[in-house]
Amino acid sequence: MGQPFTVLYIVQCGFLKTVLRNTEGDERVLSFPMQGDLLGFDGIYRNRYTSDTEALTDCDLITLPFKQLLTPGHANGELEQMIYLATSREIALERCGMGLSITVKSEARVARFLAMQSKRYTNLGYSSKNFLLPMTRRDMGSYLGLTLETISRSLSALAAAGIISVNRRDIHILRPELLILPPNFPQLPEETNKPVS
């Protein structure tokens, strides 16, 4: 946060979180970028990054020097289109996350969050029913506007209802039809559903 904007990043592998911090040190988790996601577009407007990004696991990032992307003669229409698509998708994902935090029941917020994660794993070609949550419950709570205790209670309630089973960060979705995606969850075109190579 606050560093001069110079590059965009594509997550090649791994999991991260983007965080907004205020002057008192309080933080709000904005998103959980994973493979194929674009980072750094928040720096374009003011020429400085407006959020911090922290790795949750080992990660590889591809850097895209922004000025070189704009240099005449170096323009690549396909790459530009990909950046616009990825930027729009990131904005849509952040809005979707903001929508989760205003859902009334905590169990519904957590259920929709798990549905979002399931869909994101599916888009990368992984299992939609068995996956690892790389973030802590505290991070989930910050993202969803819930306390750590409420996140734990909500996961336990979903497990007690037979919708999921939970073993620490391992999630097994037993009844996916009961986890409903938010209506504004961004859908990816088929060609972008593949991992970055």
Side-chain angles (χ1 to χ4, degrees):
M1 183 188 293
Q3 293 183 1
F5 168 73
T6 53
V7 297
L8 296 171
Y9 301 90
I10 296 175
V11 183
Q12 186 170 26
C13 67
F15 298 87
L16 306 98
K17 67 175 178 178
T18 58
V19 179
L20 188 63
R21 291 187 173 89
N22 62 22
T23 52
E24 287 79 40
D26 298 324
E27 67 176 46
R28 173 72 189 260
V29 175
L30 300 175
S31 64
F32 295 106
M34 56 195 290
Q35 185 178 349
D37 288 341
L38 182 72
L39 297 173
F41 67 92
D42 61 312
I44 295 173
Y45 176 60
R46 294 183 187 264
N47 213 30
R48 289 191 177 275
Y49 298 107
T50 60
S51 62
D52 286 328
T53 302
E54 299 175 16
L56 298 173
T57 64
D58 290 340
C59 297
D60 284 329
L61 303 177
I62 300 168
T63 59
L64 299 171
F66 193 66
K67 285 186 179 177
Q68 289 181 15
L69 291 174
L70 301 179
T71 304
H74 290 89
N76 180 319
E78 202 171 298
L79 181 61
E80 282 184 29
Q81 184 179 7
M82 182 200 76
I83 289 171
Y84 291 138
L85 178 66
T87 301
S88 177
R89 178 172 160 256
E90 294 308 307
I91 292 168
L93 277 171
E94 283 195 11
R95 285 186 179 168
C96 190
M98 289 167 56
L100 286 178
S101 67
I102 59 173
T103 305
V104 177
K105 290 188 68 174
S106 58
E107 288 87 356
R109 297 187 210 185
V110 173
R112 285 188 169 191
F113 175 78
L114 294 176
M116 283 173 52
Q117 290 301 108
S118 172
K119 181 63 176 173
R120 294 180 78 196
Y121 275 105
T122 301
N123 287 341
L124 293 174
Y126 300 118
S127 171
S128 64
K129 294 184 179 179
N130 296 288
F131 52 86
L132 179 75
L133 291 176
M135 71 289 296
T136 65
R137 283 166 169 67
R138 188 176 303 280
D139 287 338
M140 280 178 62
S142 175
Y143 180 69
L144 295 172
L146 299 169
T147 65
L148 169 64
E149 294 77 12
T150 303
I151 291 292
S152 295
R153 277 197 308 270
S154 297
L155 288 170
S156 296
L158 291 170
I163 298 171
I164 63 170
S165 69
V166 185
N167 182 8
R168 297 186 183 185
R169 294 188 186 189
D170 290 315
I171 300 293
H172 180 60
I173 298 177
L174 304 172
R175 301 188 64 190
E177 71 278 6
L178 299 180
L179 297 180
I180 301 169
L181 275 174
N184 57 344
F185 187 78
Q187 300 299 312
L188 299 179
E190 280 301 314
E191 64 272 13
T192 64
N193 285 350
K194 301 170 184 170
V196 177
S197 56

